[in-house]
Amino acid sequence: MPLHVPPAPAPALRSVLTALGSPTAVRDAQSPALRSAQEPATPELPLPVHVLDRITPEGITATRLAGWRFLIRCGDHAVAAAETVLTPDGWTFSHFFEGPYVTSTERALRQAEALGQPYQPRLLSIPSLYMLTLWLHGDLSDDGTTGHPAATDLLVPLAPAPPGIAAHLPHRVADLLPVLTHRVTPIRLMGSPA
C-alpha cells in the first residue's frame, strides 16, 4: 500500500530547488556524493521532521515541527538529503548532508510500503537519545505539521540506533515509549535527595 506523503510547503521545495541549481551551494555541501553526481539531482519524498524534546512517565508531552527533509535522488537511489527550516521570513534551505540516516531513511520507507497499511510518513527526532525514527502516522487527514504519535502509530528506529534498540524494527508507539521513557529518566542513587 502506498505511503501518503504530505505535501511540503511550496517555499520549502522552492528553496531546495534553488540550492540544487546553485553551483556554490552544491560545491560547498557536506556531501561528496552530491558534488560528484553525474545524473540530475531531484528532491523527493518530503518528510516533516518533528522533535520530541521530552518524554515523561505518562508519555509524550509535546512534539514540534523543526523542518522538512527531502531525499535527494540521483538515478535510482538517494545520495543526500536537504534540510529546510522555518525562519521569520518563511521556509528556507538550511543544508545538504549525507550519511547513514539517508540510506536508512530510504530503507525504512521501502519497509513501510511493504506493510500493507496506509501511513503518513514523518521523521521523529529524539535528541536526548541521539535517535531518529521514521514515524508512521495512522491519521492520513493530518497535514504533517502537527500532532503527537498515537499509541497505534509505528516508530521505526533508523540506523545508527542507540545501543539496545534494533534499527529497522517497527514498534508500536505504545510498546516503544516505555523503553524510551526508562532510558531518558534519570536514575536516583540510594541516599540521594528526591
Side-chain angles (χ1 to χ4, degrees), residues 9 15-16 32 55 64-65 102 108 120 154-155 172:
S15 71
V16 171
I55 303 173
R64 61 181 168 81
L65 180 66
V102 174
Q120 183 187 84
L154 296 180
L155 295 177
R172 286 186 35 219

Side-chain angles (χ1 to χ4, degrees), residues 1 109-117:
M1 177 132 327
L109 286 166
R110 282 193 310 269
Q111 285 179 290
E113 286 178 341
L115 291 175
Q117 187 172 345

Side-chain angles (χ1 to χ4, degrees), residues 18 32 68 71-74 76 80-81 87 91 100 106 117 120 123-124 132 136 165 190 193:
T18 300
W68 284 80
L71 293 180
I72 305 298
R73 186 169 302 283
C74 290
D76 62 351
T87 68
W91 288 101
E106 194 172 39
Q117 187 172 345
Q120 183 187 84
L123 293 172
L124 181 65
L132 183 64
L136 299 173
I165 296 177
M190 286 180 47

Side-chain angles (χ1 to χ4, degrees), residues 41-114:
T42 57
E44 295 182 356
L45 294 168
L47 297 173
V49 180
H50 293 260
V51 175
L52 178 61
D53 290 317
R54 238 172 31 121
I55 303 173
T56 66
E58 297 79 35
I60 295 172
T61 56
T63 62
R64 61 181 168 81
L65 180 66
W68 284 80
R69 182 173 296 172
F70 297 78
L71 293 180
I72 305 298
R73 186 169 302 283
C74 290
D76 62 351
H77 67 284
V79 297
E83 194 88 15
T84 64
V85 295
L86 187 59
T87 68
D89 295 324
W91 288 101
T92 186
F93 170 76
S94 173
H95 62 283
F96 292 114
F97 67 93
E98 65 181 58
Y101 284 133
V102 174
T103 55
S104 187
T105 300
E106 194 172 39
R107 177 181 169 188
L109 286 166
R110 282 193 310 269
Q111 285 179 290
E113 286 178 341

